[in-house]
Amino acid sequence: MEIETISKPFQAYRTKEYAELGLPMAPAIMVGDELIVKGCDIDEEKLESAICRHLGLPEPEPRKKGILDRIFK
């Protein structure tokens, strides 16, 4: 699996040159051509599912949440 990380100063993502690349505004995560999330954090399970879909693998089953997860989420 090939991973490409693009990291630039915040202002670099607001330039005309960056907009012409056709990439989403940062921060964003793309898997293949699919935009998974932009402008916010991502849940680990959602990212893992997107990677599995891209690789043609079955998506993982949702993790069971414990009592603390149910109370605080």
Side-chain angles (χ1 to χ4, degrees):
M1 172 183 281
E2 181 180 323
I3 298 174
E4 180 180 356
T5 302
I6 300 172
S7 179
K8 301 177 182 196
F10 182 74
Q11 287 77 17
Y13 292 107
R14 304 285 183 229
T15 64
K16 182 179 176 182
E17 292 80 18
Y18 183 80
E20 291 173 353
L21 294 174
L23 297 172
M25 298 302 277
I29 296 176
M30 294 180 72
V31 177
D33 291 332
E34 181 182 357
L35 177 62
I36 306 302
V37 67
K38 71 175 183 176
C40 62
D41 291 334
I42 186 170
D43 179 59
E44 183 180 333
E45 291 177 35
K46 185 176 179 180
L47 178 59
E48 187 177 353
S49 293
I51 293 169
C52 287
R53 279 193 309 273
H54 181 72
L55 296 174
L57 300 172
E59 292 186 29
E61 294 196 19
R63 294 185 183 107
K64 293 186 179 185
K65 303 209 180 230
I67 191 163
L68 292 179
D69 286 330
R70 289 184 287 201
I71 291 172
F72 293 110
K73 290 194 177 194

